[in-house]
Amino acid sequence: MRDVTRLPASAGSGRIGIVHLGLGAFHRAHQAVYLERYRRRSGDTAWGLSSANLRASVGLVDALHEAGHRYHVAEYADREHVTIREIGVIEETLFTGKDPACRRWGRDREALLARLAAPETRIVTLTVTEKGYFLSPASGRLLVDDPLIAADIAHPEAACTAPGLLVEALARRLAAGLAPFTVLSCDNMPDNGRRTRAAVVELAERRDAALAAWIDAEVAFPSSMVDRIVPAMTAADFARLAELGIEDPNAVVGEAFSQWVVEDDFPLGRPAWEADGVEMVADVAPFETMKLRMLNGSHSLLAYLGALDGIETVFEAVSREDLVALLRRYMLDEAAPTLAMPEGTDLTAYAEQLLERFANDSLHHRLQQIAMDGSQKLPQRWLHGAEARLAAGGEVPCTALGVAAWIRYTAGDDLAGRPHAVDDPLASRLADLHARHGGDIEALAAAFLAVKDVFPPALAAEPRFARAVADAYTTLTQQGLAGALGALSRV
Ligand code: NAI
Ligand code: CS2
């Protein structure tokens, strides 16, 4: 490492203006970093963060508390250049999930609800993963039969889901005559503001129609596009940081690149963070769709195809020419034509920039991490684009190969029979489909395409797509990854 820049943390203030739900790696390396930059530049300390986990892990919540909420973010441009930032904007960490020590839910639930209902809280941000909204990925409707949502409907004051906590907090604000906070989703979902609104309003409707109407009319749910590759930490990451003198169990590592495009709709105000790199726009949808289909769509192709061939990381995957050729073709021929971008957007340059970012050899971004929750990710990454491309008379062979790889991946082992965990809310339902149709590829593909929470009905009913997926599955399982990519390059 030749070039190490170290930036000390801003001073804590004890003041909290933003509550965050989902204290994971990404929050620590993205939203907290923008706020840190803002505070260092402006000196404004009104926007401290209270960050909560509603699920794993209580360990991180308590470790950050012990560390005075200070931690480090290492931003790697490449192997030689890293910026190490200490972060001081988190003022409080809370845990409302199931405490492994006492096996009880909701250790800090009341503290979190009080924080959400406090007049100083003006913004609530979320990174609770796609499944944390409890929406059908394909339709965007609330999963009212999910046991946790059912529990939040039955006992709203003891809410355990993100939508449930937001509804309860907003009800308390309404009762106290306080204006509502702005809700800003920072998860990789299309129209993430509109979707979050749908989850919260639909849940509120089950409780009180007047509350639901107030939320729908008064609460701002701006959408945002978030981008920074922040893989889960590995032992090697901690060891590399230790070599630089950073012994911090709460540290996170990410790429130097970072982007945040936000719809400017904050009735109670917001940090003036434009000068710190946040892009404030009127409509985020084109940027969000571009990022989901090009970046995340490529990631998911690498994840399922690579994992089936025993490849471990994104970097290893893009060291293979045939996989890079697949990504270029997917991005330029299948994703880009479906995007309606503002004048002057160069999607070819964007695709090349993504390939460079994937080739960052300082990141150990495991394909298994990206492969997680495929049922929640596929619609926005591949399927809506494929539907549009087919409707316009185009072909989607790369997407069909990706879908075939995802189906094969959910069987729970790779092409050489090595087992892997399938971490997905629909895992057992998908395993059942394999058990029922495993020997009959056409029936298996048809059964997967009939999963309505994943596949849009028009795409599932498109015979060209069903044929392409079944054919790709056959090639992939009979000829392996190289064979399938070779066959694809000839059509
Ligand atoms: P992580 O594994 O470090 O953290 C996951 C967070 O989600 C934790 O706070 C966990 O408690 C919470 N969570 C998981 N399931 C939940 C549920 N059902 N209800 C409530 N909370 C739940 O993951 P990381 O890296 O922080 O990513 C989280 C999300 O951030 C992603 O799913 C994605 O939407 C978004 N994101 C992540 C990027 C990355 O590179 N890591 C980049 C862009 C967006
Ligand atoms: C990845 C993303 O885990 C995944 O599914 O595709 O989290 C990706 O790293 C980010 O969206 C990059 O901004």
Side-chain angles (χ1 to χ4, degrees):
M1 185 69 54
R2 276 196 312 226
D3 177 11
V4 183
T5 307
R6 289 170 199 265
L7 300 171
S10 58
S13 70
R15 297 169 69 197
I16 289 170
I18 304 179
V19 176
H20 182 79
L21 307 183
L23 170 53
F26 183 57
H27 169 61
R28 278 174 287 156
H30 189 268
Q31 301 95 58
V33 169
Y34 281 101
L35 214 53
E36 179 69 31
R37 285 195 207 159
Y38 167 74
R39 186 184 279 186
R40 278 168 58 91
R41 179 186 56 79
S42 68
D44 176 4
T45 55
W47 296 100
L49 272 163
S50 168
S51 299
N53 260 341
L54 324 186
R55 292 278 173 292
S57 81
V58 66
L60 175 63
V61 166
D62 291 345
L64 271 167
H65 180 78
E66 300 262 292
H69 306 113
R70 299 269 177 120
Y71 65 96
H72 296 85
V73 178
E75 306 172 340
Y76 285 95
D78 53 43
R79 230 174 238 284
E80 299 298 328
H81 302 85
V82 65
T83 298
I84 299 182
R85 237 178 246 281
E86 198 185 359
I87 305 294
V89 288
I90 296 186
E91 305 284 355
E92 169 180 79
T93 52
L94 300 170
F95 182 68
T96 70
K98 197 189 220 168
D99 195 324
C102 60
R103 294 177 170 277
R104 256 190 329 113
W105 276 87
R107 185 185 77 182
D108 301 329
R109 184 193 292 121
E110 268 312 310
L112 175 63
L113 285 167
R115 186 59 77 193
L116 286 164
E120 300 75 32
T121 297
R122 288 184 274 168
I123 300 175
V124 178
T125 51
L126 296 98
T127 54
V128 290
T129 80
E130 298 86 340
K131 63 185 174 297
Y133 295 81
F134 296 88
L135 295 168
S136 160
S139 72
R141 299 298 306 268
L142 185 69
L143 299 170
V144 285
D145 295 330
D146 183 282
L148 292 181
I149 290 294
D152 281 4
I153 292 170
H155 305 288
E157 69 299 334
C160 54
T161 69
L165 286 160
L166 290 173
V167 170
E168 174 63 14
L170 287 164
R172 291 187 186 193
R173 289 182 84 101
L174 177 61
L178 282 176
F181 42 67
T182 297
V183 182
L184 178 63
S185 166
C186 300
D187 275 297
N188 279 328
M189 289 189 305
D191 289 325
N192 52 11
R194 191 177 53 74
R195 284 196 173 225
T196 310
R197 172 191 294 278
V200 173
V201 172
E202 274 195 56
L203 187 56
E205 271 163 4
R206 306 269 156 166
R207 168 175 177 174
D208 173 353
L211 172 65
W214 179 74
I215 294 176
D216 204 20
E218 301 297 328
V219 182
F221 291 87
S223 286
S224 77
M225 181 268 242
V226 289
D227 192 7
R228 171 169 257 187
I229 297 173
V230 185
M233 289 293 284
T234 63
D237 292 321
F238 284 116
R240 248 177 341 152
L241 286 178
E243 279 169 24
L244 299 173
I246 308 289
E247 304 266 4
D248 178 358
N250 307 315
V252 250
V253 159
E255 62 178 338
F257 178 93
S258 187
Q259 192 174 15
W260 198 4
V261 190
V262 181
E263 269 169 19
D264 203 355
D265 184 11
F266 292 80
L268 294 191
R270 60 170 174 81
W273 47 27
E274 302 80 327
D276 311 293
V278 183
E279 298 165 59
M280 303 304 300
V281 300
D283 178 14
V284 88
F287 302 98
E288 179 73 359
T289 311
M290 172 187 82
K291 189 247 168 178
L292 285 168
R293 292 188 188 165
M294 304 262 292
L295 187 159
N296 299 110
S298 296
H299 257 175
S300 291
L301 276 179
L302 295 180
Y304 301 116
L305 287 163
L308 286 178
D309 200 47
I311 302 173
E312 261 214 44
T313 64
V314 171
F315 171 71
E316 273 176 60
V318 297
S319 307
R320 276 178 65 146
E321 272 176 30
D322 54 0
L323 281 171
V324 170
L326 172 79
L327 293 194
R328 272 208 182 90
R329 178 164 169 193
Y330 162 74
M331 286 193 275
L332 299 180
D333 293 0
E334 296 183 26
T338 68
L339 301 171
M341 299 308 297
E343 185 93 15
T345 311
D346 182 344
L347 290 174
T348 308
Y350 183 63
E352 290 307 314
Q353 184 197 37
L354 292 179
L355 291 173
E356 257 176 51
R357 289 171 59 195
F358 296 162
N360 185 332
D361 63 354
S362 292
L363 301 179
H364 301 114
H365 200 180
R366 293 178 56 247
L367 297 181
Q368 186 73 2
Q369 181 183 2
I370 300 170
M372 192 176 21
D373 292 342
S375 68
Q376 312 289 304
K377 295 174 173 174
L378 263 46
Q380 57 270 27
R381 294 181 179 208
W382 293 342
L383 305 177
H384 296 142
E387 194 180 349
R389 188 85 191 112
L390 287 169
E395 299 288 335
V396 290
C398 306
T399 307
L401 178 61
V403 170
W406 173 66
I407 296 175
R408 178 61 187 78
Y409 176 88
T410 61
D413 62 358
D414 70 9
L415 293 173
R418 289 170 292 225
H420 54 236
V422 179
D423 193 343
D424 191 302
L426 298 192
S428 63
R429 210 166 125 195
L430 304 178
D432 279 352
L433 298 182
H434 280 285
R436 238 181 300 148
H437 304 288
D440 179 343
I441 289 176
E442 303 230 345
L444 181 70
F448 266 78
L449 296 192
V451 178
K452 289 195 172 50
D453 278 332
V454 178
F455 290 91
L459 183 65
E462 172 57 78
R464 284 181 297 161
F465 190 64
R467 176 81 271 137
V469 171
D471 288 349
Y473 193 99
T474 307
T475 320
L476 188 60
T477 47
Q478 290 180 358
Q479 299 176 28
L481 176 61
L485 293 174
L488 188 69
S489 68
R490 292 189 288 278
V491 294

